[in-house]
Amino acid sequence: MNAPAELLVDTAAGPAHITTPAPRDIWWELAGEDPGTHPSQTPPWLDCLCATGPYRDTSRLYEFEGGRRLVLPLVGSSRPRILDTEESWPARWGIGGPVCPAEASPAEARAVFADLAGLRALRVGVRLRPADRDVWADSALGYRLEPHMTQMVDLDGGFDAVWQGRFRRHVRREVRHAERSDVDVEVDRTGRLVGAFYRLYCTSMVRWAEQQHEPLALARRRRTREFPVRRLEEVAARFGERCAIWVAWRAGEPAAACVVLRHAGHAKLWRSAMDRELAHPVHAVPLLYRLAIEDACAAGCRTFDMGESAPGSSLAAFKAGFGARSFSSPRCLKERVPLSAAEHRLRAAVKRLIRFQDP
């Protein structure tokens, strides 16, 4: 890691001292004081990006007059400088945004966005957590808001309250069916089951390709590039016991699996996969989710983040069965050239060519 650079700038909130990359001890301190910090806003998440993708640590610590401090997790791309981007986070890496023990003032939020707008990057992006949407989205002057939705289960009241009051009746019925079936469930917090999960992920690629009318070779290339096994290995190693790999076994074979990350009061369902022929008849996936949610409740978590879904999709409806509610979690974008529009047009053209069907 390069030596941190220190800047003193005048902002709408008064003079601010900026340190980049953000000192890890302060980042961890603020993450411990901010009850809204998600697993994807902690230093190990950034380390995993940099270890498995073309990124470098450009996180920023802002210190305002009066002692207010906040950290913005941020990575820059390791492309030629002329093509650089600065994002929190890049697409498919989930929620980023500021880590701040107390709600930032509108002036402080505007100051952060103004500072980012002054960077030489072609694109600046900040994916907000739902709780920060109002103050931060309203303060992103000159930025375009890209809509995203994340689904979360409220764990208030403990697992009994979640099971009885938030799980839908059909989900409870499926879970009971799974508990009577020949399914064995194992949870690993050491990384030992990375291989079992990734085998199921590779099996799932075939089903996803068929559902989306995507050539299998293209699907495998795209998905292994987006999520190589090394990425899961890095996350399991860096998060340690805060990364749980749940696997449902049937007749000695892995039938379904999911990966859940945890930080303080928040659990995040990061990835899941299954062998449909083995898992679906015995409802192995609902059983895994039930156990993972119960585990999060036992750990004192307040929310269980089930990730992003398209509004009105079958995936969104499936998650709603576990009590997941939808929250707006927009991405604030500012681009010197229309990179996102060009990328969208290219993806749309390829989808039309192969008659791709979104799930």
Side-chain angles (χ1 to χ4, degrees):
M1 181 184 295
N2 295 330
E6 299 189 10
L7 309 168
L8 183 63
V9 298
D10 290 322
T11 75
H17 187 267
I18 302 172
T19 306
T20 180
R24 292 303 178 86
D25 57 340
I26 297 178
W27 185 349
W28 275 118
E29 179 185 344
L30 297 181
E33 295 173 357
D34 181 356
T37 301
H38 288 232
S40 56
Q41 292 180 292
T42 60
W45 194 251
L46 183 148
D47 290 338
C48 292
L49 266 83
C50 295
T52 63
Y55 304 110
R56 66 186 192 284
D57 182 357
T58 57
S59 56
R60 298 172 87 80
L61 166 67
Y62 295 86
E63 298 175 276
F64 295 98
E65 282 189 316
R68 165 93 71 184
R69 299 182 299 174
L70 67 86
V71 163
L72 182 69
L74 196 70
V75 291
S77 61
S78 297
R79 302 167 178 167
R81 202 67 177 177
I82 193 173
L83 300 175
D84 198 9
T85 60
E86 303 268 358
E87 299 183 87
S88 178
W89 300 111
R92 296 181 296 276
W93 275 95
I95 290 173
V99 176
C100 184
E103 185 175 287
S105 70
E108 291 166 343
R110 287 195 299 270
V112 171
F113 279 121
D115 170 59
L116 296 178
L119 299 176
R120 297 177 60 186
L122 287 183
R123 175 170 63 207
V124 172
V126 179
R127 172 79 185 278
L128 300 175
R129 58 194 181 190
D132 292 333
R133 180 178 59 85
D134 292 338
V135 169
W136 285 86
D138 289 346
S139 301
L141 304 179
Y143 286 71
R144 176 171 61 86
L145 293 186
E146 183 180 85
H148 291 271
M149 180 185 80
T150 190
Q151 290 181 267
M152 296 187 181
V153 181
D154 177 9
L155 304 184
D156 185 45
F159 183 70
D160 287 344
V162 176
W163 171 260
Q164 295 292 342
R166 291 163 209 159
F167 276 34
R168 302 274 176 85
R169 182 179 300 175
H170 74 275
V171 171
R172 295 199 300 270
R173 185 169 57 248
E174 289 170 354
V175 169
R176 294 189 183 105
H177 180 274
E179 290 172 338
R180 296 192 298 268
S181 302
D182 58 337
V183 178
D184 296 314
V185 176
E186 183 178 10
V187 59
D188 164 49
R189 306 181 199 274
T190 67
R192 179 176 55 84
L193 292 179
V194 164
F197 179 92
Y198 208 78
R199 291 206 311 274
L200 283 170
Y201 182 75
C202 292
T203 299
S204 295
M205 288 183 202
V206 179
R207 175 169 49 87
W208 293 331
E210 292 174 350
Q211 290 174 343
Q212 295 169 168
H213 201 268
E214 184 178 12
L216 182 56
L218 177 61
R220 282 176 170 156
R221 176 181 173 83
R222 179 173 65 85
R223 291 185 179 276
T224 53
R225 183 176 180 181
E226 172 191 327
F227 182 57
V229 65
R230 184 182 169 215
R231 186 156 296 162
L232 179 55
E233 291 170 344
E234 286 285 341
V235 168
R238 294 179 187 273
F239 275 80
E241 65 178 12
R242 293 178 296 120
C243 172
I245 303 176
W246 295 83
V247 178
W249 301 86
R250 189 179 178 200
E253 294 294 326
C258 65
V259 182
V260 179
L261 309 178
R262 194 179 76 248
H263 172 76
H266 297 273
K268 173 183 175 64
L269 176 64
W270 182 39
R271 295 278 178 173
S272 59
M274 70 171 173
D275 182 327
R276 184 176 177 82
E277 291 185 2
L278 289 175
H280 189 66
V282 294
H283 303 293
V285 172
L287 176 61
L288 286 184
Y289 287 8
R290 176 250 194 248
L291 293 172
I293 290 172
E294 183 179 29
D295 184 67
C297 290
C301 293
R302 301 186 309 278
T303 61
F304 188 86
D305 182 354
M306 300 191 77
E308 185 170 358
S309 307
S313 65
S314 60
L315 181 59
F318 174 74
K319 294 175 183 178
F322 296 87
R325 296 171 55 207
S326 300
F327 297 90
S328 174
S329 174
R331 190 168 176 231
C332 304
L333 283 175
K334 190 175 185 66
E335 299 178 310
R336 297 184 186 277
V337 295
L339 293 177
S340 296
E343 291 169 354
H344 176 76
R345 285 195 297 269
L346 178 60
R347 287 196 298 269
V350 172
K351 286 181 177 181
R352 285 195 301 270
L353 181 64
I354 65 174
R355 292 180 294 156
F356 186 90
Q357 298 176 5
D358 287 306

